[in-house]
Amino acid sequence: MHADIVFTGGIVRTGASDAPVHDALAVTDGRITALGAQALAARGPRTAVVDLAGGALLPAFGDGHVHPVMGGLGLAGVPVRDCTSADEIVEVVRGWAAAHPETEWITGDGFDPWLAPDGRFDARWLDAAVPDRPVVLRTMDHHTAWVNSEALHRAGYTATTPDPAGGEILRRDGSAEPLGTLREFGALGPVLALIPTASHDTQVAALREAAARFAAAGVTWVQDAWVEPHQADVWITAATTEPGLPVRADLAFVLEPDGWRERILRFTADRDKVESSAPGRLSARSVKFFADGVIESGTAALLEPYTDCPHSHGIANWAPQELAAAVTAVDALGFRPHLHAIGDGGVRVALDAIEAAARTNGARDRRPVIAHAQLIDPADLARFAALGVVANLQPLWAQPDPLMTELTLPRIGPERGGRQYQTAALLASGARLSFGSDWPVTAHEPLRGIATAVTRQTPEGIPEGGWLPEERIDIDTALAAYSAGCAYQAFEEKEWGALRPGMRADLVHLAADPAGTAPRDLAHLPVLGTWLAGRRTHDAPTPHGTRAGRR
């Protein structure tokens, strides 16, 4: 039987230990059917031959923790992501507001939280640009918002407003007046609830734009790590109407502490609706929890107090007993718990909750996920493997950028600062590892994260030898975390994540072999093509100026 497609003219890096490298691959009916000489022999008169042009064919990437709808919507707001100062943000807001006089709520996200001293942004700075309409700008981690006085007024925030549960309203020095900086969702919620929700069609369009960006980066599967109830319909519409989506996805329904017992009652019906609407393309088998906040804002839960704030251990979003009860409840319904945990206190509480679920519901292959795991107490490192937890890390964060040097390290000090993002240590402990981007928090391209995982350096090559170099990993391990690791997280390791006969033809064509590319050049390695079950979802020019494709 002749193949539908044969790839040749480059290296085929399978990701399989028994047969890691070949020179050709054949695909029929969306499945890999042969490698090497057998693939070349499968060419027939109607076979499409893809010339790899001296590049490399690899298993397509996954993204184990990302926010596609949120990211797509953020592309349409005030473009503050690339601003390099608070003054520049104010001027960008001023210009955008003048160009959009019909827009009542002015929103944007993605700016750097270190652009103001100690991350304290003043409402009056924004008032100077827009005094009469509410402005809400979220930092790149989405755990902090900078708002103007009109937004504070509409949310009812005054000097007598107490800090809400699970949030903090920063105050002016020497005063109880709100400053204009809100930290964590307890404080952000009353403001965000006032912003008009984007229409269904707008959200579908935003999701399509996000999915196209993932395809262009070589990604064919994503874990949407924050799905509000109405967003399941957004995914269903995008997946089941033309032109469809170039990625598969698993949806994680977000579960918050308030009224969680009532909220989970609809989860199984929502799961069934998603999976019956787009079988094989969408699943909804995860539930998202926020165990804590983020270190740079002083809201991640720590076992010991913050170095710069000795009275604070951060903010735990859940009482430990309630988190354990909620994780146990969703686990009993067959969902995978997916927990955001940043601080060592948050990680411990997340591990305790997973352990409680296993103790109550019995042993099974459940593959719970702890995302981020920035700071792990030494006593808890081995628990990831013991409990079967998938550590989903964001490798792009493991570098001494200004977020790390200006905010994070001063808050936790050198000892704790020296054991962050323990990629190699987790692997050595036997833990399962997957990678993700957390886009739109940081860049969505896997190759940028892979470059950082291998070097532990900034894009400028700082520091020489890497930051915490003992936590560097090799290129094959980094590639696997973004492919096989994500497939394992998805319970689909027999379907994708490696290039073996019988597996889905989820493929990415890179302009050169990453194993032979200088580590600092990995981030800029062009993605020339992406295939989802043998269907091309991205096509880019080869280095020779032509398109890699049929001949």
Side-chain angles (χ1 to χ4, degrees):
M1 179 178 178
H2 293 143
D4 296 332
I5 313 170
V6 168
F7 296 84
T8 186
I11 186 172
V12 176
R13 190 166 288 282
T14 68
S17 58
D18 55 340
V21 177
H22 285 277
D23 61 357
L25 178 143
V27 174
T28 303
D29 293 333
R31 296 270 173 180
I32 299 166
T33 50
L35 295 163
Q38 292 181 336
L40 294 172
R43 288 179 291 190
R46 296 185 178 180
T47 300
V49 178
V50 176
D51 181 8
L52 297 175
L57 191 71
L58 289 82
F61 303 123
D63 191 313
H65 185 99
V66 68
H67 309 289
V69 178
M70 180 189 300
L73 290 172
L75 296 171
V78 183
V80 296
R81 178 173 293 273
D82 295 327
C83 292
T84 58
S85 69
D87 288 343
E88 183 181 357
I89 292 175
V90 171
E91 290 309 308
V92 169
V93 168
R94 187 193 309 275
W96 196 95
H100 298 81
E102 77 290 350
T103 302
E104 180 183 8
W105 284 79
I106 298 167
T107 62
D109 65 57
F111 71 95
D112 296 323
W114 62 83
L115 296 181
D118 200 33
R120 294 172 58 87
F121 293 86
D122 197 316
R124 292 178 296 195
W125 303 345
L126 291 173
D127 294 345
V130 184
D132 55 347
R133 286 182 281 167
V135 179
V136 181
L137 309 176
R138 297 176 74 174
T139 55
M140 46 85 76
D141 58 25
H142 279 235
H143 287 256
T144 294
W146 177 16
V147 302
N148 69 348
S149 296
E150 181 63 19
L152 290 171
H153 171 72
R154 294 200 188 190
Y157 284 160
T158 69
T160 60
T161 306
D163 282 348
E168 181 183 13
I169 305 168
L170 269 63
R171 315 287 174 164
R172 297 193 185 282
D173 291 337
S175 167
E177 290 292 331
L179 175 67
T181 299
L182 308 175
R183 290 178 174 168
E184 290 306 321
F185 302 113
L188 272 63
V191 175
L192 299 180
L194 299 174
I195 300 174
T197 301
S199 71
H200 177 81
D201 289 348
T202 298
Q203 292 187 67
V204 170
L207 175 55
R208 290 195 193 283
E209 172 63 24
R213 291 176 179 234
F214 282 110
V219 173
T220 57
W221 177 86
V222 298
Q223 173 72 68
D224 187 330
W226 186 348
V227 178
E228 302 286 352
H230 70 276
Q231 289 175 335
D233 290 331
V234 173
W235 274 100
I236 290 170
T237 298
T240 58
T241 59
E242 291 297 330
L245 287 173
V247 295
R248 297 183 181 87
D250 182 63
L251 314 187
F253 300 120
V254 66
L255 187 60
E256 297 170 341
D258 183 32
W260 69 264
R261 288 174 173 83
E262 292 72 35
R263 291 171 186 255
I264 66 170
L265 297 178
R266 64 174 293 170
F267 282 1
T268 53
D270 287 342
R271 175 178 59 191
D272 293 345
K273 178 181 179 181
V274 168
E275 298 189 355
S276 63
S277 298
R281 289 170 286 169
L282 298 181
S283 62
R285 301 170 189 169
S286 302
V287 173
K288 167 70 174 293
F289 300 83
F290 282 97
D292 63 353
V294 293
I295 292 175
E296 60 266 22
S297 295
T299 56
L302 301 183
L303 295 173
E304 299 296 330
Y306 278 86
T307 300
D308 67 334
C309 192
H311 67 276
S312 174
H313 287 75
I315 295 177
N317 291 325
W318 291 75
Q321 304 91 325
E322 280 293 280
L323 181 61
V327 169
T328 299
V330 301
D331 177 77
L333 295 173
F335 288 97
R336 291 191 292 270
H338 188 111
L339 297 103
H340 162 118
I342 293 274
D344 51 7
V347 170
R348 178 168 293 178
V349 168
L351 289 166
D352 288 347
I354 291 166
E355 186 172 16
R359 185 170 56 247
T360 300
N361 297 332
R364 74 168 190 273
D365 184 10
R366 48 179 41 90
R367 304 185 194 181
V369 176
I370 293 182
H372 315 317
Q374 180 172 348
L375 187 63
I376 305 171
D377 188 81
D380 291 322
L381 191 69
R383 298 178 69 195
F384 280 78
L387 294 171
V389 174
V390 176
N392 176 260
L393 303 186
Q394 285 57 54
L396 195 57
W397 300 358
Q399 58 173 296
D401 59 9
L403 181 70
M404 179 62 63
T405 59
E406 300 297 321
L407 291 180
T408 298
L409 289 174
R411 295 203 195 286
I412 60 176
E415 190 279 324
R416 289 179 292 189
R419 52 182 172 88
Q420 296 181 81
Y421 304 120
Q422 295 178 274
T423 312
L426 281 164
L427 285 167
S429 76
R432 293 281 189 166
L433 182 71
S434 69
F435 278 167
S437 67
D438 206 14
W439 185 76
V441 172
T442 44
H444 67 282
E445 296 94 342
L447 286 168
R448 293 179 62 174
I450 288 167
T452 307
V454 171
T455 65
R456 303 279 290 205
Q457 293 175 325
T458 67
E460 296 75 29
I462 299 171
E464 185 177 353
W467 175 69
L468 308 180
E470 67 277 10
E471 295 298 342
R472 293 179 302 182
I473 58 176
D474 61 46
I475 182 64
D476 287 336
T477 303
L479 289 167
Y482 253 124
S483 52
C486 289
Y488 180 85
Q489 176 182 323
F491 276 85
E492 295 181 353
E493 69 273 20
K494 295 182 180 179
E495 287 289 301
W496 59 276
L499 305 184
R500 298 188 182 94
M503 299 184 78
R504 285 203 308 248
D506 287 4
L507 315 167
V508 59
H509 175 198
L510 304 180
D513 181 5
T517 301
R520 283 186 59 184
D521 294 335
L522 286 168
H524 310 292
L525 190 58
V527 176
L528 301 181
T530 307
W531 288 262
L532 178 70
R535 176 175 65 89
R536 187 188 279 272
T537 59
H538 170 66
D539 189 8
T542 70
H544 307 297
T546 60
R547 290 189 178 272
R550 301 183 178 188
R551 60 177 173 89

